[in-house]
Amino acid sequence: MEERKVLYSAVQPTNNLTIGNYIGAITNWVGLQNNYDCYFAIANMHAITVRQVPAELRQRTLSLLALYIACGVDPEKCVLYLQSHVPAHAELCWVLNTFTYVGEMERMTQFKDKSARHAENINMGLMDYPVLMTADILLYQSDIVPVGLDQRQHVEIARDIAQRFNNAYSPTFKVPEALYLKVGAKIGDLLDPTKKMSKSAENANGSVFLSDDRDAIIRKFKRAVTDSEACVKYDPENKPGVSNLLSIYSAFSGKSVAEAEKEFAGAGYGDFKLAVGETVADRLAPIQAEQAKLLADKAYLDGVLRSGAERAARTANKTLAKVYKKIGFYS
Ligand code: TYM
C-alpha cells in the first residue's frame, strides 16, 4: 500500500480565534483529515513570544483543543497535541538556528509588524519564531502545510532551511509545500477588508470571533464596509468588502461563490449582510455548544493531549535522532 502523505498545521492559543482562523485553517483541516496522516498542534511555545497571562494561556490551550474537536477534527484520526509536550521542537529549533541567518529573520514581514506593535518587548523568540515553526513542520517529515496566506513567508523559509540542511549533509528532511484555499486564504477585516482579519485587531468590530454570540455576529456583519455599487459580485480588486463577505458566506454555507452571487443577484447590501451574519451565527452556535460540553470534560481532553504527545513524540524523536547523528552529536 502506498504510504499516506503527512499534513501538518498549528494555531497559537492566543486571544480569541476569528472566523479567519476557522475558514483559513481549521475547516480546511476537517476536509483533509481522511486523506493524510495529520498532525495538528496547539502552538503554545509560539504564543509566549508575546507576553501572556499564564492562567489565560492555560485556559486557552484547552479551549483551543476543544474547539478543534468541536469543529470536526477527529482525535482518533489525527494527532492533536500541545507543542510544549514534545521537547523535540525546542531541540530541533536550536539546531536549525545554526542554519538560519539573522538577516533572513530580520526581513520577515510578521517580525517587522510584531516588533512595531510590541516595541517594548522585541525578544529573541519573536525573531526566532519562523525557525521554531520550521522545526514543527520538519520534525514530522510533512508533505503539506495548510495555512492562510499570512503564513506564506514562514513556509517558504521552512523550505529554504530544509534544503540548506539537506544540501549540507544528505537528504534528511522532506521539503514541505504550503496549501492555500482558493477562496478564504485571507479573510479580511470587516471594517477594513484589505487588511487580514486578526485575533489582535485594534478594533474588535472588524473581527468576528468564534466565541461571539448571535447578536454580536449579526451586528458586526451589519456594519461591514461594502461599496456604493449595490451589486453583489466577487471582484476582490475593486470590491474588497463585498468579495470578502462572499468568501465568508461561501465558507459557512458550503455554496460556491458563483452560487452565492446568483442567490443575491438583485438583493440590497442590507439583506445580503444580514444573510451572511445569520449563516455564520447558525453555523457557530452548535460549535460553541459542543466546545462548552467538551470543556466540561477535562479528563477527556487531558487524555487526548496525553495520547497526542506520545504519538507526536514518537515521530518527532526519530527525525531528531537522524539530525543529531548527521551533525555529529555523540550518542
Ligand atoms: P495563527 O495562530 O496566527 O493562525 C492560525 C491559522 O489561521 C490562519 N489565518 C487566516 N486565514 C485566513 N484569513 C485570515 N484572516 C487568517 N488569520 C489567520 C493562519 O494563516 C494560520 O494558518 N505561526 C502560526 C502557527 C504555527 C504553524 C506551525 C502553522 C506554528 N507552527 C507550523 C503551520 C505549521 C500562527 O501563528 O498561526
Side-chain angles (χ1 to χ4, degrees):
M1 214 176 74
E2 204 189 325
E3 251 188 55
R4 294 220 297 184
K5 291 200 166 169
V6 176
L7 183 149
Y8 190 93
S9 203
V11 175
Q12 293 187 71
T14 48
N15 304 315
N16 286 324
L17 264 67
T18 71
I19 56 170
N21 303 119
Y22 174 79
I23 298 172
I26 304 174
T27 37
N28 203 4
W29 305 351
V30 174
L32 295 162
Q33 65 184 338
N34 291 323
N35 301 324
Y36 294 90
D37 279 343
C38 296
Y39 293 86
F40 296 124
I42 295 168
N44 61 341
M45 291 164 68
H46 280 103
I48 61 163
T49 57
V50 171
R51 256 338 136 240
Q52 303 294 328
V53 177
E56 274 178 20
L57 180 59
R58 250 188 301 275
Q59 194 275 329
R60 290 206 159 109
T61 298
L62 279 189
S63 174
L64 182 55
L65 176 67
L67 183 75
Y68 284 178
I69 302 171
C71 287
V73 180
D74 183 348
E76 300 290 320
K77 290 183 188 158
C78 310
V79 178
L80 303 186
Y81 74 101
L82 184 59
Q83 191 182 28
S84 65
H85 283 170
V86 182
H89 289 255
E91 294 171 286
L92 182 62
C93 178
W94 180 252
V95 175
L96 297 181
N97 276 333
T98 67
F99 289 84
T100 309
Y101 301 105
V102 171
E104 288 178 306
M105 294 298 104
E106 282 171 337
R107 284 195 294 275
M108 291 277 135
T109 320
Q110 217 169 72
F111 171 65
K112 288 194 278 188
D113 284 355
K114 285 196 182 169
S115 301
R117 266 191 287 135
H118 303 278
E120 74 302 338
N121 180 20
I122 307 177
N123 61 71
M124 285 303 295
L126 196 60
M127 191 173 186
D128 204 27
Y129 182 113
V131 185
L132 179 59
M133 189 162 151
T134 299
D136 297 346
I137 296 169
L138 300 188
L139 274 175
Y140 299 89
Q141 304 292 348
S142 310
D143 294 279
I144 70 163
V145 183
V147 281
L149 275 174
D150 62 320
Q151 298 297 323
R152 168 173 268 166
Q153 235 184 0
H154 294 158
V155 181
E156 281 302 313
I157 200 75
R159 291 170 56 84
D160 291 347
I161 296 173
Q163 276 159 344
R164 205 171 285 162
F165 190 98
N166 288 349
N167 290 339
Y169 299 94
S170 55
T172 309
F173 297 120
K174 185 90 64 66
V175 181
E177 295 215 19
L179 179 75
Y180 310 107
L181 286 174
K182 276 205 205 78
V183 173
K186 186 182 173 196
I187 295 299
D189 185 280
L190 294 188
L191 300 177
D192 184 357
T194 54
K195 248 180 40 196
K196 87 162 181 179
M197 186 182 286
S198 163
K199 292 183 219 171
S200 49
E202 269 163 38
N203 186 345
N205 287 321
S207 298
V208 177
F209 300 107
L210 297 179
S211 54
D212 279 347
D213 64 24
R214 188 177 185 84
D215 286 350
I217 295 172
I218 291 176
R219 178 171 45 79
K220 289 179 182 180
F221 277 103
K222 275 190 181 160
R223 290 193 196 159
V225 166
T226 48
D227 51 57
S228 56
E229 219 181 44
C231 167
V232 180
K233 205 176 80 191
Y234 189 76
D235 178 358
E237 192 89 334
N238 301 307
K239 295 168 74 69
V242 169
S243 305
N244 190 42
L245 293 173
L246 276 168
S247 302
I248 295 171
Y249 182 73
S250 161
F252 275 88
S253 65
K255 296 175 189 164
S256 69
V257 167
E259 282 168 336
E261 279 177 336
K262 237 186 251 159
E263 186 176 342
F264 295 105
Y269 284 164
D271 290 344
F272 171 52
K273 290 198 280 189
L274 182 64
V276 180
E278 285 177 339
T279 304
V280 172
D282 286 348
R283 175 76 190 102
L284 289 186
I287 292 177
Q288 290 168 348
E290 181 61 21
Q291 185 190 21
K293 206 170 99 194
L294 287 161
L295 274 172
D297 192 352
K298 190 164 167 291
Y300 168 72
L301 295 176
D302 283 346
V304 170
L305 286 181
R306 204 174 311 116
S307 141
E310 270 169 28
R311 289 153 72 197
R314 219 174 298 138
T315 310
N317 289 338
K318 262 191 228 157
T319 301
L320 187 68
K322 251 201 226 174
V323 169
Y324 276 8
K325 192 165 168 208
K326 296 220 179 172
I327 58 177
F329 281 4
Y330 186 73
S331 72

